[in-house]
Amino acid sequence: EPYRRQRQMCIRDREKGVSRLNLFSKRPHKNVLRFWAMILTGAILMTSLSGCMGEKLVPTELSFSQVEYERPDGQGVLDLIDKAKEQAENDIFPFGMIWTLRKIGDATQEFYSMMTIAQIRNYLDVNDTFYSEEMEYLDTFDARIQNSYNQMFSSIENSRFSSIQNMIFGESGAEDLQMSSQASSEEILSLQEQEKKLVAEYYYEYAQATVSTPEGEVLFSSLDSEGQSAYYNQFIQKYNQQFGELYLELVSLREQMAQALGYDSYTQVADLDMLRNSYTREDIKTFREDIKQTIAPVYRSYLEDFYRRAENRDQPGYVYLLGEQSPVPQGSWQETLDQFEQLYQQMSEQTGECYSYLLSHEFIDAEPSQTKANVTFSTLIYSLNTPFLFANMNGSAEDVFSISHEFGHCFAMWQQLKLGSQQEGRSMDVSEIHSQAMQMLTLPYYEIFYGEDAGTARKYDVYTMVAGILTAAMNDEFQEKIYENPQMTVQELNELYKELAMEYGLVVESPYFDMESFSMGWFTTNQYFDTPFYAIDYALSGCVAMEFLQMGLEDYTQALETYLSLVQQNSDYDFMTVLEETGLSSPFETEQMEALAQTMEDFLQGDGSFSADNTEQVSLQDAA
């Protein structure tokens, strides 16, 4: 279980996902099956393989600065996995294998807890050589553990114990591991290790990237939001080729993996690895086309209108859609974090409890820093039973939206811990509903951050959400086309990015828009490098999250009750099951996409009014 959970949330910006294997096993006589079921039930009870599921998992009393890191024994984990593999292949009874699997669960929980702590501290200071070296060690063993675990599962699946694998791993766990094993093999282990090194190189080189200023060469990441805007074109022009070549190295590696696994394209591997088990690649393509026909025209029309008016409003910092200056939070970054505590205490007792704990125990680190990695993420530290929120706030309009997004993940983890699960959701498409829906539910409280500019800020962030849905869908198609033609040049990547952005309505030709710099800036999207094909999860879940805007404008209390029900759903449920259980609409329905587009257009044409009309806090009992 800790292995399976880690793959989904160890570091959210590096997650993966799925398809299904044809089960192969000898079919024993029904009396033998009955015997195996009886003795296995006893074995599971004796060994407590699945832990104390259903019992509340209590978060640590430690603050993050008090948490100690100790290098975990990666080889020891591999040895246990090899032992379980041998037992699956050779033992007559499953007792020894089950006992070893329990030890693997403990060992992987320790390994990935330490890996999460090391990754956070490495991201807090990318120049810290100790944690950089630790991450090299951990990344190497992470690749080996994932690969070996998949091979072990395949051995169990093809052994005399195959008929009881669902009892061992759980039905959803076995299905997900079947998908993972299809995306891995011993033959690609060295390629996976090379992949991790290139991803680490991307983050390091990005953090070290410089631009020329009147004061000399400075780190681009050290500049504030205004400085980065001023020097963005220089940054893009300087590094497009370098990061483009690095990306193409990754594409080549991944295509080699796909070929070794017997697939036509790495896209198939990625869909398996992302655990997409309730819809197909064809469904995704249809969804992308629906987006082009429904949401894209709304965005494109406002963009075109803005440029028609740009002659008289030609000032930096203007929001394309609104023609007004981008709103920024009032006060310092620390004041913004403190204001979030006020907000979430007002929203509900449960959200207030979670946020106050994280803030008081240092499990939120959003302080601006020149040495921080260029990422925003949330994760779970398994051994401590606590979420962690990482950000690098810069005082821009994105700060509030980003923190509310990641807190949505943290709150969902918090609620699942109370239910005895260390898994936020079965796959990333489910988890991203939690985060983006929280962004929508936070909108009514924007007066706390923006005062009289709250309406403008709300419109800006809904506009940002629309752009995010379109961008995520475009990113998916961008990657799909690249992996169909992995011999592309960097210049061809730039041209493809521009072509698709125009197709999705994200840019239009205008003398007031620098199309060249835009087309070269695709490499700033870190997920192309570390989590290929993750983006479509944002688009699908974003459309579901926008339904909370629809509901909230009519009845905020009902929207919040639905959300509290959402984060309590069984963490084994897949994307479509979660929607069904919570009464949410499917983004694969064209009629729903048309309704969403209308809601977006109506809201953006208005004054940004949106208030939380509930006078009493909603409780989880109400939601249930």
Side-chain angles (χ1 to χ4, degrees):
E1 268 302 296
Y3 160 79
R4 177 183 167 216
R5 291 191 297 262
Q6 182 276 335
R7 295 190 68 260
Q8 186 180 357
M9 12 194 302
C10 180
I11 295 297
R12 186 162 301 281
D13 281 52
R14 305 175 57 188
E15 293 321 329
K16 310 181 181 180
V18 155
S19 191
R20 191 176 183 119
L21 246 172
N22 292 322
L23 297 180
F24 172 78
S25 63
K26 296 179 181 178
R27 300 179 67 84
H29 189 274
K30 61 181 181 180
N31 289 332
V32 177
L33 279 175
R34 202 172 289 138
F35 168 73
W36 279 118
M38 180 180 67
I39 62 171
L40 181 69
T41 300
I44 290 177
L45 289 173
M46 288 187 290
T47 60
S48 300
L49 177 62
S50 58
C52 301
M53 294 302 293
E55 294 183 11
K56 179 178 179 179
L57 297 172
V58 180
T60 182
E61 289 301 318
L62 295 174
S63 295
F64 187 65
S65 60
Q66 299 174 310
V67 174
E68 296 183 0
Y69 169 79
E70 182 177 346
R71 175 181 281 195
D73 182 5
Q75 186 57 51
V77 178
L78 290 174
D79 291 343
L80 284 171
I81 293 173
D82 287 342
K83 182 177 181 180
K85 183 173 180 289
E86 292 176 6
Q87 289 171 319
E89 294 169 349
N90 301 319
D91 286 5
I92 297 175
F93 297 103
F95 303 115
M97 181 187 70
I98 291 173
W99 183 255
T100 303
L101 286 170
R102 184 187 180 191
K103 288 184 177 180
I104 292 171
D106 293 338
T108 53
Q109 175 154 309
E110 173 66 14
F111 180 89
Y112 287 114
S113 294
M114 289 297 115
M115 183 174 182
T116 303
I117 293 165
Q119 183 72 88
I120 292 169
R121 289 179 174 158
N122 180 225
Y123 281 172
L124 286 170
D125 184 358
V126 295
N127 296 320
D128 186 322
T129 56
F130 174 79
Y131 282 110
S132 294
E133 291 172 1
E134 286 303 292
M135 285 310 302
E136 288 184 18
Y137 164 85
L138 292 163
D139 279 340
T140 298
F141 274 102
D142 175 36
R144 294 174 183 174
I145 289 169
Q146 290 192 29
N147 192 293
S148 296
Y149 200 100
N150 285 330
Q151 301 313 308
M152 178 201 73
F153 178 79
S154 294
S155 294
I156 294 173
E157 186 177 45
N158 293 319
S159 74
R160 57 170 55 91
F161 308 129
S162 62
S163 60
I164 57 174
Q165 63 186 10
N166 284 2
M167 297 181 69
I168 298 173
F169 298 102
E171 184 175 352
S172 64
E175 183 179 88
D176 290 350
L177 285 167
Q178 288 163 7
M179 299 175 81
S180 296
S181 65
Q182 285 185 298
S184 183
S185 73
E186 292 184 67
E187 288 73 23
I188 68 168
L189 176 57
S190 63
L191 296 174
Q192 290 173 320
E193 292 176 354
Q194 292 177 58
E195 177 188 33
K196 286 185 176 292
K197 289 179 180 179
L198 287 175
V199 171
E201 182 181 342
Y202 167 78
Y203 277 108
Y204 177 78
E205 294 296 336
Y206 201 107
Q208 299 301 314
T210 62
V211 289
S212 299
T213 72
E215 290 75 35
E217 289 290 313
V218 300
L219 292 173
F220 181 73
S221 60
S222 70
L223 299 172
D224 59 20
S225 58
E226 290 186 6
Q228 289 194 355
S229 295
Y231 289 97
Y232 179 77
N233 286 355
Q234 182 192 142
F235 172 68
I236 294 301
Q237 295 281 346
K238 183 176 180 180
Y239 289 101
N240 170 259
Q241 187 68 31
Q242 176 183 332
F243 284 108
E245 291 175 357
L246 177 62
Y247 179 63
L248 289 174
E249 281 189 66
L250 277 167
V251 169
S252 177
L253 274 177
R254 289 165 179 161
E255 278 303 302
Q256 291 177 56
M257 293 180 196
Q259 291 170 11
L261 293 168
Y263 297 104
D264 295 330
S265 168
Y266 181 77
T267 303
Q268 297 166 280
V269 179
D271 282 341
L272 287 167
D273 209 21
M274 289 301 299
L275 302 177
R276 295 191 172 115
N277 47 18
S278 58
Y279 49 88
T280 66
R281 176 58 36 183
E282 289 305 312
D283 292 329
I284 291 173
K285 291 179 180 179
T286 301
F287 168 69
R288 293 192 317 229
E289 291 305 311
D290 277 348
I291 279 183
K292 293 177 187 179
Q293 300 303 317
T294 56
I295 298 176
V298 173
Y299 191 92
R300 184 186 292 112
S301 66
Y302 284 101
L303 200 55
E304 290 171 341
D305 181 61
F306 169 76
Y307 284 121
R308 281 194 293 268
R309 294 181 285 112
E311 244 181 90
N312 299 320
R313 305 294 296 274
D314 188 14
Q315 296 181 24
Y318 273 31
V319 181
Y320 290 150
L321 176 63
L322 306 174
E324 302 174 16
Q325 285 193 321
S326 307
V328 294
Q330 301 170 353
S332 67
W333 68 271
Q334 185 63 63
E335 288 172 324
T336 297
L337 282 187
D338 293 339
Q339 288 162 346
F340 265 113
E341 184 167 27
Q342 174 189 345
L343 184 164
Y344 287 125
Q345 286 176 347
Q346 288 183 31
M347 181 180 285
S348 75
E349 179 182 346
Q350 293 75 29
T351 52
E353 174 194 46
C354 176
Y355 189 87
S356 295
Y357 168 84
L358 296 178
L359 191 63
S360 63
H361 287 71
E362 303 172 359
F363 291 114
I364 296 177
D365 193 309
E367 181 177 1
S369 172
Q370 297 181 7
T371 60
K372 272 187 171 181
N374 183 43
V375 293
T376 300
F377 66 89
S378 49
T379 186
L380 181 72
I381 306 176
Y382 305 110
S383 59
L384 304 179
N385 291 323
T386 179
F388 190 100
L389 193 161
F390 181 102
N392 195 350
M393 296 173 71
N394 59 11
S396 72
E398 283 71 42
D399 278 355
V400 171
F401 214 45
S402 295
I403 297 298
S404 63
H405 179 103
E406 298 305 336
F407 179 69
H409 286 304
C410 290
F411 181 63
M413 295 177 208
W414 182 264
Q415 294 306 136
Q416 287 298 319
L417 287 167
K418 288 186 175 183
L419 297 172
S421 172
Q422 288 182 311
Q423 180 173 292
E424 179 188 347
R426 184 172 178 183
S427 52
M428 299 311 299
D429 45 22
V430 173
S431 297
E432 293 302 338
I433 305 174
H434 303 151
S435 56
Q436 295 182 89
M438 178 61 81
Q439 289 176 297
M440 295 295 97
L441 293 173
T442 302
L443 292 177
Y445 298 91
Y446 268 25
E447 278 77 9
I448 294 174
F449 306 107
Y450 300 104
E452 294 180 355
D453 294 330
T456 300
R458 277 190 280 266
K459 291 175 67 177
Y460 178 77
D461 284 344
V462 170
Y463 171 76
T464 300
M465 179 74 91
V466 176
I469 291 169
L470 292 169
T471 301
M474 181 198 72
N475 287 347
D476 185 77
E477 187 167 352
F478 179 62
Q479 293 177 92
E480 186 179 288
K481 289 184 180 298
I482 291 169
Y483 285 102
E484 287 174 356
N485 181 20
Q487 304 306 316
M488 295 177 74
T489 64
V490 176
Q491 181 59 36
E492 288 172 332
L493 295 182
N494 298 342
E495 289 297 323
L496 175 62
Y497 194 70
K498 169 187 171 181
E499 174 188 325
L500 288 174
M502 294 186 70
E503 196 173 325
Y504 280 89
L506 287 162
V507 295
V508 296
E509 294 281 5
S510 168
Y512 300 98
F513 181 70
D514 189 341
M515 187 69 77
E516 181 183 8
S517 287
F518 171 83
S519 67
M520 298 174 71
W522 59 268
F523 70 85
T524 60
T525 302
N526 61 294
Q527 290 170 8
Y528 295 147
F529 294 81
D530 63 18
T531 321
F533 291 93
Y534 180 16
I536 198 64
D537 289 341
Y538 278 117
L540 288 165
S541 56
C543 290
V544 177
M546 287 298 292
E547 190 173 350
F548 283 87
L549 175 63
Q550 286 179 301
M551 286 190 289
L553 289 168
E554 297 179 4
D555 186 344
Y556 184 84
T557 301
Q558 179 59 46
L560 184 56
E561 288 177 352
T562 301
Y563 183 79
L564 294 175
S565 172
L566 170 71
V567 295
Q568 292 184 96
Q569 293 301 309
N570 189 317
S571 59
D572 284 341
Y573 286 167
D574 60 36
F575 181 75
M576 297 304 294
T577 303
V578 167
L579 300 187
E580 182 180 347
E581 290 295 317
T582 51
L584 293 165
S585 301
S586 168
F588 296 113
E589 297 173 0
T590 302
E591 295 79 5
Q592 172 61 9
M593 297 300 293
E594 292 171 344
L596 281 180
Q598 188 63 56
T599 297
M600 294 170 185
E601 185 170 16
D602 291 345
F603 186 81
L604 294 171
Q605 285 181 335
D607 61 3
S609 298
F610 186 9
S611 62
D613 56 7
N614 53 317
T615 55
E616 297 181 3
Q617 290 184 335
V618 177
S619 70
L620 288 175
Q621 287 73 30
D622 294 332

